[in-house]
Amino acid sequence: MNPLPHPKGLRTRILLSSAFGPFAQDDDFGSRSINPMELYQNQVTRVQRGFSLRMFHRSFGLMLLQANIDAPCTLLDFPSLNRFVEELKTNTYDVVGIGAIIPNVGKVAEMCRLIRQYQPRAVIVVGGHIANKGGIETTIDADHIVRGDGVRWFRTYLGQPLDAPVRHPRAESAFGARIMGIDLSDKPGDTAAILIPSVGCPVGCNFCSTSALFGGKGQFVNFYDTGDELFDVMSDLEKTLKVRSFFILDENFLLHRKRALRLLELMQAHGKSWMLNVFSSARVLRSYDMAQIVGLGIGWVWMGIEGKASQYRKLEDVDTLDLVKTLQSHGIRVLGSSIIGLEDHSPENMDQVIDHAVAHGTDFHQFMLYTPNPGTPLYEKHRKAGTLLSEAEFPPADAHGQYRFNYRHAHIKNGQEGRFLVDAFERDFAVNGPSLARLIRTLLTGWQQYKNHPERRIRDRYAWEVAPLRNTYAGAIWAMRRYYRKDRPMRRTLDRLLADISREFGWKTRIAARVFGVYAYAALVREERRLARGWHYEPEVFYEKNAAAMASVNRKHAGRRPTTVPALAIPTGTAGAAAS
């Protein structure tokens, strides 16, 4: 439903905010220690301790909105509750927009209450996955609940042209990256740029919240319809952020085949040695030949494996075990995603379910509980069957897929699912080892396959990707060998890997491996001790104004003695205090 335009039009003063922190702790507003604001630690490398990949990701939906709002717009990302209140007390806004997921509904309710208290004239707009929650209109005190395309909604609300090109935010895909107790480089070009070609998903799996948010199966919004448009955006990001890799935030990027193949043509014509990190279904991956996949620079794939004997069409007639091995043989890292708790899963067959997932040997593996999220066909199915738990039995804050079911499963009872989930993570870690070691093996394999490729831009990309193996990654393997010195099978695996790296890159790498390895091992031990004491990470606070908001600030201070405008620099600190 289109809103009535705001009377101030492009003079409307807007604040956009994510839900407040801290996040990785249990509180009355819905934060949970088991559900940190870290994608990998939350649901991929959850049990890998010091080997877990730790990083944060910005609220990209809010960044996309701000980039396409012509009115003065301020973005406050990962504030503490006190920082959010400070902003409401310090500056006056006509509109306050909040983006959130369903587990944060308690936080959003509190934010709405505070807005009414400190800025009673402000219009409150709430969007994101929280909009899928049934009864959200009566749960929180908001004026507008936005479902679907927020860019189009705000353009309508502010009287901006609806057919204007979508401006892409210039942002890196992650920040605060750390592994083995070592902060990863944040120099320009070391982190991939975020790229958002589309939202929604045409495949429309019955459990997919993203698909449901944008209209369900077959429904999606393309911000960039053609490969030419996408190439122009990527070229701009390459120039401004000094990047050569892109994390493509699109549910099934390669499904848009014409756009992808046109992008390949342009990359070849302009000699672009880019690396792409993509989400893709197995069937769509199989529809491309390996020359096209490698030519596009795809170096990392997040792929749904779901479960043994899964009935999802995206896996139909695809041997995922063979597909993973094929991708890795070309240096393509795979993050496999498996579901615990499908309809036919039971305590009797759970070992087989987990063993099947672990047998893939993916570089990373996500395990999630089969969860009927509001708005999805799976949720509607359970609602009609009367198997959903009430909010009194299961608070929305616990509906994050890493704890327990929000419904009564036919075969798995009494919270068994939580133990099965942890078993899956632990078995994958025990059998396949640290994800970092797996990734390093795949990188080495890709380099050996393509170091003499006839196309220069492909040789260059593999050389760029493999560069850390010559020193820091070799040192990481040296440190892992020492860490696993009492685990003979894992030690033998790491011995072979380090020997292969040294054989490939020579005596300098052998020396670097030991020098850096001593440092890396010490850092790993310190990190594991700190984590054992209860340490957790929180994201920094970001405070950003668009051009119109900056112009408003400049007008406000014109002719005055220069003063400091609060919190214009980014990042501005830490969202909340650490627990330890």
Side-chain angles (χ1 to χ4, degrees):
M1 182 176 178
N2 291 329
L4 293 174
H6 194 282
K8 290 189 176 181
L10 296 184
R11 293 180 294 109
T12 307
R13 293 160 299 182
I14 301 169
L15 172 67
L16 299 177
S17 180
S18 59
F20 62 83
F23 301 98
Q25 67 177 39
D26 297 315
D27 65 22
D28 294 335
F29 295 112
S31 281
R32 296 290 186 265
S33 57
I34 198 176
N35 187 32
M37 185 61 77
E38 298 177 78
L39 175 62
Y40 281 85
Q41 171 63 17
N42 187 326
Q43 58 200 44
V44 181
T45 52
R46 175 177 163 181
V47 304
Q48 294 192 26
R49 303 185 298 274
F51 294 110
S52 181
L53 179 57
R54 315 299 295 259
M55 64 171 64
F56 299 102
H57 304 279
R58 292 290 306 277
S59 299
F60 298 120
L62 295 180
M63 297 183 79
L64 182 67
L65 289 181
Q66 187 189 39
N68 288 278
I69 287 175
D70 294 336
C73 183
T74 298
L75 172 58
L76 184 57
D77 210 1
F78 309 123
S80 65
L81 184 57
N82 289 339
R83 180 64 186 86
F84 181 69
V85 171
E86 175 193 345
E87 186 63 24
L88 296 178
K89 288 181 175 180
T90 304
N91 297 293
T92 302
Y93 294 100
D94 302 303
V95 175
V96 181
I98 304 169
I101 58 175
I102 291 175
N104 285 329
V105 64
K107 295 189 174 191
V108 174
E110 177 66 5
M111 293 171 81
C112 291
R113 186 190 69 79
L114 291 167
I115 296 165
R116 297 298 190 210
Q117 178 181 345
Y118 294 107
Q119 305 236 7
R121 295 185 179 181
V123 174
I124 302 176
V125 181
V126 173
H129 285 281
I130 194 172
N132 271 340
K133 186 181 186 305
I136 188 65
E137 291 84 358
T138 57
T139 304
I140 61 174
D141 182 12
D143 298 292
H144 299 283
I145 306 295
V146 179
R147 296 175 176 86
D149 185 358
V151 172
R152 185 176 183 85
W153 191 94
F154 267 103
R155 283 179 170 178
T156 302
Y157 191 53
L158 299 173
Q160 295 178 206
L162 297 180
D163 58 352
V166 172
R167 293 189 291 268
H168 198 283
R170 294 166 174 171
E172 294 179 336
S173 60
F175 66 96
R178 183 180 180 88
I179 195 166
M180 292 178 66
I182 300 170
D183 293 330
L184 302 185
S185 173
D186 59 357
K187 293 185 298 184
D190 286 341
T191 303
I194 198 68
L195 181 65
I196 312 172
S198 315
V199 289
C201 182
V203 176
C205 295
N206 67 338
F207 57 82
C208 181
S209 296
T210 304
S211 176
L213 186 63
F214 291 92
K217 186 172 184 177
Q219 301 298 311
F220 58 94
V221 178
N222 264 348
F223 295 128
Y224 308 102
D225 289 312
T226 68
D228 296 80
E229 292 174 308
L230 208 54
F231 182 82
D232 289 342
V233 171
M234 295 169 75
S235 297
D236 175 73
L237 293 171
E238 176 189 42
K239 180 179 179 181
T240 56
L241 298 179
K242 311 301 180 186
V243 298
R244 63 185 298 176
S245 59
F246 302 87
F247 192 104
I248 302 183
L249 200 59
D250 185 302
E251 290 289 327
N252 209 337
F253 174 69
L254 294 173
L255 187 61
H256 306 277
R257 188 178 184 86
K258 182 177 180 181
R259 183 176 66 186
L261 293 180
R262 175 56 179 160
L263 177 62
L264 171 58
E265 291 177 359
L266 291 168
M267 289 173 62
Q268 291 170 329
H270 293 269
K272 294 298 184 183
S273 187
W274 290 337
M275 195 274 273
L276 277 56
N277 305 267
V278 304
F279 295 84
S280 179
S281 62
R283 287 184 76 242
V284 170
L285 273 171
R286 276 296 193 201
S287 71
Y288 289 77
D289 61 46
M290 195 52 64
Q292 292 170 326
I293 291 174
V294 171
L296 271 166
I298 293 172
W300 184 96
V301 174
W302 189 312
M303 183 179 74
I305 294 170
E306 314 312 7
K308 190 173 184 179
S310 167
Q311 299 303 307
Y312 290 104
R313 188 170 182 271
K314 64 183 180 181
L315 297 166
E316 190 176 311
D317 300 324
V318 177
D319 182 345
T320 53
L321 290 162
D322 176 71
L323 178 57
V324 168
K325 296 299 181 287
T326 298
L327 293 169
Q328 290 174 325
S329 72
H330 293 269
I332 299 168
R333 284 77 74 199
V334 181
L335 194 161
S337 180
S338 293
I339 294 173
I340 300 296
L342 292 171
E343 287 89 346
D344 63 335
H345 288 181
S346 68
E348 291 72 28
N349 64 22
M350 191 55 65
D351 279 341
Q352 292 176 289
V353 168
I354 294 174
D355 286 344
H356 174 72
V358 171
H360 285 79
T362 54
D363 302 271
F364 295 88
H365 211 120
Q366 177 193 45
F367 293 95
M368 293 288 286
L369 294 177
Y370 196 42
T371 303
N373 291 310
T376 63
L378 183 61
Y379 183 90
E380 186 61 17
K381 174 184 175 181
H382 281 280
R383 188 191 66 80
K384 289 180 178 178
T387 51
L388 290 173
L389 299 178
S390 68
E391 290 193 4
E393 298 171 283
F394 190 92
D398 292 325
H400 48 73
Q402 288 291 317
Y403 177 37
R404 62 188 179 100
F405 294 138
N406 61 346
Y407 64 101
R408 290 183 290 276
H409 193 280
H411 310 295
I412 300 172
K413 311 290 185 182
N414 304 319
Q416 292 172 299
E417 64 272 17
R419 183 64 253 171
F420 292 147
L421 189 68
V422 174
D423 284 347
F425 281 115
E426 290 180 340
R427 199 173 309 176
D428 178 62
F429 185 37
V431 172
N432 294 314
S435 285
L436 179 59
R438 308 180 216 175
L439 175 149
I440 290 170
R441 167 59 76 185
T442 301
L443 281 173
L444 178 62
T445 301
W447 164 251
Q448 292 170 332
Q449 173 91 316
Y450 286 98
K451 62 183 178 181
N452 297 316
H453 192 275
E455 191 172 349
R456 178 177 176 176
R457 68 183 192 93
I458 292 177
R459 293 197 308 273
D460 288 351
R461 176 172 70 83
Y462 279 92
W464 172 70
E465 289 186 1
V466 84
L469 267 68
R470 299 176 182 272
N471 39 67
T472 55
Y473 279 2
I477 298 300
W478 189 97
M480 290 182 206
R481 289 170 65 249
R482 184 170 179 184
Y483 183 91
Y484 282 103
R485 58 189 178 275
K486 296 181 181 179
D487 183 333
R488 289 185 179 180
M490 192 62 65
R491 173 62 186 256
R492 284 195 296 269
T493 297
L494 295 167
D495 282 345
R496 287 194 295 270
L497 178 53
L498 186 58
D500 290 344
I501 293 171
S502 299
R503 189 179 306 111
E504 186 66 33
F505 299 114
W507 65 270
K508 289 183 179 180
T509 292
R510 284 195 294 272
I511 294 173
R514 183 176 182 85
V515 172
F516 184 76
V518 171
Y519 166 75
Y521 178 75
L524 173 62
V525 171
R526 286 195 303 271
E527 179 78 348
E528 294 217 327
R529 287 173 180 168
R530 184 163 73 159
L531 293 173
R533 291 194 300 267
W535 174 267
H536 65 267
Y537 291 96
E538 291 286 337
E540 295 170 296
V541 181
F542 289 81
Y543 185 79
E544 299 158 342
K545 292 181 177 293
N546 69 358
M550 288 299 297
S552 177
V553 169
N554 292 337
R555 286 194 299 271
K556 180 179 179 181
H557 293 277
R560 298 184 187 179
R561 189 174 181 176
T563 59
T564 300
V565 180
L568 284 180
I570 58 170
T572 64
T574 302
S580 57

